[in-house]
Coordinates of all heavy atoms in Angstrom, one line a residue:
M1 N 29.5 -233.9 5.1 CA 29.1 -232.6 4.9 C 30.2 -231.7 4.2 O 29.9 -230.7 3.7 CB 28.8 -232.0 6.3 CG 28.0 -230.8 6.3 SD 26.5 -231.0 5.5 CE 25.5 -229.8 6.1
Y5 N 29.7 -228.6 1.4 CA 30.5 -227.4 1.6 C 31.2 -227.1 0.2 O 31.2 -226.0 -0.3 CB 31.5 -227.6 2.7 CG 32.4 -226.4 3.0 CD1 32.1 -225.5 3.9 CD2 33.6 -226.3 2.3 CE1 33.0 -224.4 4.2 CE2 34.5 -225.3 2.6 CZ 34.2 -224.3 3.5 OH 35.1 -223.3 3.8
L74 N 24.7 -217.9 2.1 CA 24.2 -218.3 3.4 C 24.2 -219.8 3.6 O 24.7 -220.2 4.7 CB 22.7 -217.8 3.6 CG 22.1 -218.0 4.9 CD1 22.9 -217.4 6.1 CD2 20.7 -217.5 4.9
L75 N 23.8 -220.6 2.6 CA 23.9 -222.0 2.8 C 25.4 -222.5 2.9 O 25.7 -223.4 3.7 CB 23.3 -222.7 1.5 CG 21.8 -222.6 1.4 CD1 21.3 -223.2 0.1 CD2 21.1 -223.2 2.6
F76 N 26.3 -221.8 2.2 CA 27.7 -222.1 2.3 C 28.2 -221.9 3.8 O 28.9 -222.7 4.4 CB 28.5 -221.3 1.3 CG 29.9 -221.5 1.3 CD1 30.5 -222.8 1.3 CD2 30.8 -220.5 1.2 CE1 31.8 -223.0 1.2 CE2 32.2 -220.7 1.2 CZ 32.7 -222.0 1.2
L77 N 27.8 -220.7 4.3 CA 28.2 -220.4 5.7 C 27.6 -221.4 6.7 O 28.3 -221.9 7.6 CB 27.7 -219.0 6.1 CG 28.1 -218.5 7.5 CD1 29.6 -218.5 7.7 CD2 27.5 -217.1 7.7
I78 N 26.3 -221.7 6.5 CA 25.7 -222.7 7.4 C 26.4 -224.1 7.3 O 26.7 -224.7 8.3 CB 24.2 -222.9 7.1 CG1 23.5 -221.6 7.5 CG2 23.6 -224.1 7.8 CD1 22.0 -221.5 7.0
S79 N 26.7 -224.5 6.1 CA 27.4 -225.8 5.9 C 28.8 -225.8 6.5 O 29.3 -226.9 6.9 CB 27.5 -226.2 4.4 OG 28.5 -225.4 3.8
S80 N 29.4 -224.7 6.6 CA 30.8 -224.6 7.2 C 30.8 -225.0 8.7 O 31.9 -225.5 9.1 CB 31.3 -223.2 7.1 OG 30.7 -222.3 8.0
F81 N 29.7 -224.9 9.4 CA 29.7 -225.3 10.8 C 29.7 -226.8 10.9 O 30.0 -227.3 12.0 CB 28.5 -224.7 11.5 CG 28.6 -223.2 11.6 CD1 28.0 -222.3 10.8 CD2 29.5 -222.6 12.6 CE1 28.1 -221.0 10.9 CE2 29.6 -221.2 12.7 CZ 28.9 -220.4 11.8
F82 N 29.3 -227.5 9.9 CA 29.3 -229.0 9.9 C 30.4 -229.6 9.1 O 30.5 -230.8 9.2 CB 27.9 -229.4 9.4 CG 26.7 -228.8 10.1 CD1 26.1 -227.7 9.6 CD2 26.4 -229.3 11.4 CE1 25.0 -227.1 10.3 CE2 25.3 -228.8 12.1 CZ 24.7 -227.7 11.6
A83 N 31.1 -228.9 8.3 CA 32.2 -229.4 7.5 C 33.3 -230.0 8.3 O 34.0 -230.9 7.9 CB 32.7 -228.4 6.5
R84 N 33.6 -229.4 9.4 CA 34.6 -229.8 10.4 C 36.0 -230.0 9.8 O 36.5 -231.2 9.8 CB 34.1 -231.1 11.1 CG 32.8 -230.9 11.8 CD 32.6 -232.0 12.9 NE 31.3 -231.9 13.5 CZ 31.0 -231.1 14.5 NH1 31.8 -230.3 15.0 NH2 29.7 -231.2 15.0
F85 N 36.6 -229.0 9.3 CA 38.0 -229.0 9.0 C 38.5 -227.6 9.3 O 37.8 -226.6 9.2 CB 38.3 -229.5 7.6 CG 37.8 -228.6 6.5 CD1 38.6 -227.6 6.0 CD2 36.5 -228.7 5.9 CE1 38.1 -226.7 5.0 CE2 36.1 -227.9 4.9 CZ 36.9 -226.9 4.4
A88 N 37.3 -223.9 7.7 CA 36.0 -224.0 6.9 C 35.2 -222.8 7.3 O 34.6 -222.2 6.3 CB 35.3 -225.3 7.3
I89 N 35.0 -222.5 8.5 CA 34.1 -221.4 8.9 C 34.7 -220.1 8.5 O 34.0 -219.2 8.0 CB 33.9 -221.4 10.4 CG1 33.1 -222.7 10.8 CG2 33.1 -220.2 10.9 CD1 33.0 -222.9 12.3
A92 N 34.2 -219.6 4.6 CA 32.8 -219.4 4.3 C 32.4 -218.1 4.9 O 31.6 -217.4 4.2 CB 32.0 -220.5 4.9
G93 N 32.9 -217.7 6.0 CA 32.5 -216.4 6.6 C 33.1 -215.2 5.7 O 32.4 -214.2 5.5

Side-chain angles (χ1 to χ4, degrees):
M1 199 55 159
Y5 179 95
L74 182 59
L75 291 174
F76 182 47
L77 181 60
I78 292 168
S79 74
S80 73
F81 293 99
F82 304 99
R84 300 199 189 278
F85 67 89
I89 296 170

